[in-house]
Amino acid sequence: MKKILILGILGTIMQCCSFKAKEEVESTEYPLLETMGYYQRFSHKLWLAGNNENWELANFYVHELEEVTEDLIKNDFIDEGKNLSNLSESLLKGKIEKMEEAVRLKDQVIFRENYKLMISACNLCHQATNHPYLKMKVPDEKDIFNQSFE
């Protein structure tokens, strides 16, 4: 009887371990680098459009950011023990919604403030996922990227 119980416990442990390994393999299938590239490119173009009061174009890019975020949330992506989907939902989703509102209002002052908040959310996520060296910023005339390389 003890042998059957021990075999049952060992079988359960092995199932748990193999499920975790499967979960980790599935997580590596999500195109994280591509997704982060979309975030950077679309947020940069959003800034340029809004800063030039091209609200139609800004609306296009804010919706692209929203779609990328919804895809990340939907995929429940875990990387190095950090659930990036949950972080994106809690840190970024609301900031993108505020960007949508600023674009809808065609208000450059609100747009710029909300853009800064959105970029801060990106940086908070980078810190939370042990990537503090990835520092996004509001684009400026000094360099072509919306990332700090300092």
Side-chain angles (χ1 to χ4, degrees), residues 118-140:
M118 183 181 72
I119 294 302
S120 292
C122 294
N123 290 328
L124 284 172
C125 190
H126 293 160
Q127 290 173 8
T129 58
N130 302 321
H131 297 94
Y133 47 86
L134 294 173
K135 295 178 187 168
M136 304 313 296
K137 67 182 187 84
V138 175
D140 58 36

Side-chain angles (χ1 to χ4, degrees), residues 96-110:
I96 292 173
E97 290 168 358
K98 287 185 179 283
M99 288 302 308
E100 282 182 308
E101 180 67 12
V103 169
R104 188 184 64 74
L105 295 172
K106 299 178 181 179
D107 187 316
Q108 198 174 53
V109 173
I110 295 172

